[in-house]
């Protein structure tokens, strides 16, 4: 059983009892009495909602007598779009926060697999402040992956970086000794994976240590949140291999957040130093 199940059950009992009481009271009153009742809009279930089912499209605002609205019930649909039912919710029940659960909370309870769509997998890779859009990426966002690879010429047999020419280089006055200086890698950037859904940011299980809880209680201020070092995304198995190889080859990876509901696929041109020089008309400076 997941944590909070008892609280959820009490919330459901309260919601059912409230709905029944409102129905009896309203229907037993004379028309003149009903018109004098102060009503308030509250979010209710428009249809039965199963456990762990998305509530979006299944809830709505309904006017109820103010005195019979459970304390803490939602008065607005704001912030409920990505939430799931923490337990079965009957039709007509006023929606209370204890009756809902987020995808992140569900995953933190050891049920990450329930968030992954069939045919996709969840993988994690490291991020920092720059690559994660100043830590602005949140669960539910859709992102694009920008990669920069660094290319170096290698000897086909030895697989080591080769000099410009070896052992001698042809010159205007005959062959000269080859330069054995370190070869400079040639970078190239490209937009790769697109429209990837973010499942989580940071560690799935984040709990305060006893020392942190004591410090928070003594100071009255919340303990500083640990900045995320990893991000979890949902991709196809093939794209998971792309992320794995890019990470192991030490490619530079940055993330770009898409506009909400923007699922278009972009076609971009690989960017190198030559591309930038040509596009913006930059001339090589004099030595």
């Amino acid at each position: 059983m997941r944590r909070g199940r008892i609280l959820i059950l009490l919330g459901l009992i309260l919601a059912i009892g409230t709905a029944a009481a409102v129905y009896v009271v309203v229907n037993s009153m004379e028309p003149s009495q009903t018109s004098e009742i102060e009503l308030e809009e509250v979010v209710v279930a428009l249809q039965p909602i199963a456990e762990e089912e998305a509530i979006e499209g299944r809830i709505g605002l309904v006017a109820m007598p103010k005195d019979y609205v459970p304390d803490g019930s939602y008065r607005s649909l704001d912030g409920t779009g990505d939430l799931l039912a923490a337990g079965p919710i009957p039709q007509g029940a006023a929606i209370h926060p204890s009756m809902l659960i987020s995808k992140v909370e569900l995953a933190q309870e050891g049920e990450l697999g329930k968030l992954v769509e069939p045919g996709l997998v969840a993988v994690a890779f490291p991020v920092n402040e720059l690559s994660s859009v100043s830590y602005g990426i949140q669960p539910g966002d859709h992102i694009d992956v920008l990669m920069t690879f660094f290319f170096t010429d290698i000897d086909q047999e030895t697989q080591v970086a080769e000099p410009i020419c070896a052992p001698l280089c042809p010159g205007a006055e005959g062959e000269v000794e080859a330069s054995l200086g370190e070869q400079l890698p040639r970078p190239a950037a490209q937009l790769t994976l697109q429209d990837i859904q973010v499942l989580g940011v940071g560690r799935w299980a984040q709990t305060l240590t006893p020392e942190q809880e004591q410090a928070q209680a003594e100071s009255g201020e919340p303990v500083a949140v640990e900045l995320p070092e990893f991000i979890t995304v949902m991709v196809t198995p093939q794209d998971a291999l792309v992320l794995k190889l890019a990470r192991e080859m030490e490619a530079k990876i940055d993330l770009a957040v898409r506009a909400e509901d923007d699922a278009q696929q972009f076609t971009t041109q690989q960017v190198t130093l030559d591309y930038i020089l040509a596009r913006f008309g930059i001339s090589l400076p004099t030595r």
Side-chain angles (χ1 to χ4, degrees):
M1 300 291 288
R2 293 193 297 273
R3 58 179 175 80
R5 186 57 59 85
I6 295 178
L7 181 60
I8 294 169
L9 180 60
L10 292 176
L12 291 175
I13 295 174
L14 176 62
I16 296 172
T18 301
V22 171
Y23 178 83
V24 172
V25 171
V26 172
N27 284 276
S28 64
M29 290 182 174
E30 297 294 334
S32 58
Q33 292 177 297
T34 304
S35 61
E36 297 175 359
I37 296 177
E38 185 178 357
L39 301 178
E40 183 175 6
E41 285 193 332
V42 62
V43 179
V44 303
L46 302 178
Q47 63 187 69
I49 306 175
E51 182 178 359
E52 297 178 0
E53 187 176 30
I55 65 170
E56 187 174 12
R58 298 177 172 86
I59 59 176
L61 289 171
V62 174
M64 296 177 59
K66 185 175 181 180
D67 293 340
Y68 291 90
V69 176
D71 292 338
S73 297
Y74 282 99
R75 268 69 170 183
S76 170
L77 297 175
D78 295 342
T80 62
D82 294 328
L83 297 179
L84 311 174
I89 302 178
Q91 182 175 353
I95 303 299
H96 189 274
S98 63
M99 302 162 65
L100 306 178
I101 188 170
S102 70
K103 294 180 179 180
V104 174
E105 291 172 332
L106 187 64
Q108 287 176 339
E109 294 175 355
E111 301 187 54
L112 174 58
K114 292 187 177 181
L115 302 181
V116 182
E117 298 177 4
L120 302 179
V121 295
V123 294
F125 61 93
V127 294
N128 54 35
E129 184 173 5
L130 179 60
S131 66
S132 63
V133 196
S134 300
Y135 297 124
I137 297 177
Q138 298 297 320
D141 284 342
H142 286 246
I143 60 173
D144 293 339
V145 181
L146 315 177
M147 294 185 185
T148 298
F149 290 93
F150 299 88
F151 297 90
T152 302
D153 292 329
I154 62 172
D155 181 79
Q156 293 298 317
E157 294 183 2
T158 62
Q159 292 295 296
V160 298
E162 60 182 16
I164 297 175
C165 49
L168 299 176
C169 294
E173 300 179 356
E175 294 182 340
V176 296
E177 186 176 351
S179 171
L180 299 179
E182 183 178 356
Q183 185 181 155
L184 296 178
R186 302 187 301 278
Q190 179 60 287
L191 170 64
T192 56
L193 309 183
Q194 300 187 48
D195 197 22
I196 295 175
Q197 182 176 347
V198 178
L199 292 181
V201 177
R203 295 187 177 92
W204 285 108
Q206 295 187 16
T207 57
L208 297 180
T209 64
E211 293 77 12
Q212 289 176 320
E213 292 180 346
Q214 181 178 358
Q216 179 174 333
E218 292 176 354
S219 65
E221 299 180 356
V223 177
V225 178
E226 181 181 1
L227 295 176
E229 298 180 0
F230 302 92
I231 189 171
T232 304
V233 296
M234 183 168 58
V235 296
T236 65
Q238 187 66 39
D239 288 346
L241 292 175
V242 172
L243 291 174
K244 173 179 172 61
L245 182 62
R247 173 174 54 83
E248 293 176 349
M249 290 185 62
E250 298 183 351
K252 295 293 185 181
I253 300 178
D254 291 308
L255 308 177
V257 178
R258 280 178 168 257
E260 187 175 3
D261 299 325
D262 181 7
Q264 63 179 308
Q265 294 292 307
F266 299 99
T267 300
T268 58
Q269 183 177 345
Q270 175 180 287
V271 174
T272 63
L273 179 58
D274 289 338
Y275 170 88
I276 294 178
L277 295 178
R279 177 177 174 182
F280 298 103
I282 302 174
S283 301
L284 292 176
T286 304
R287 292 183 178 181

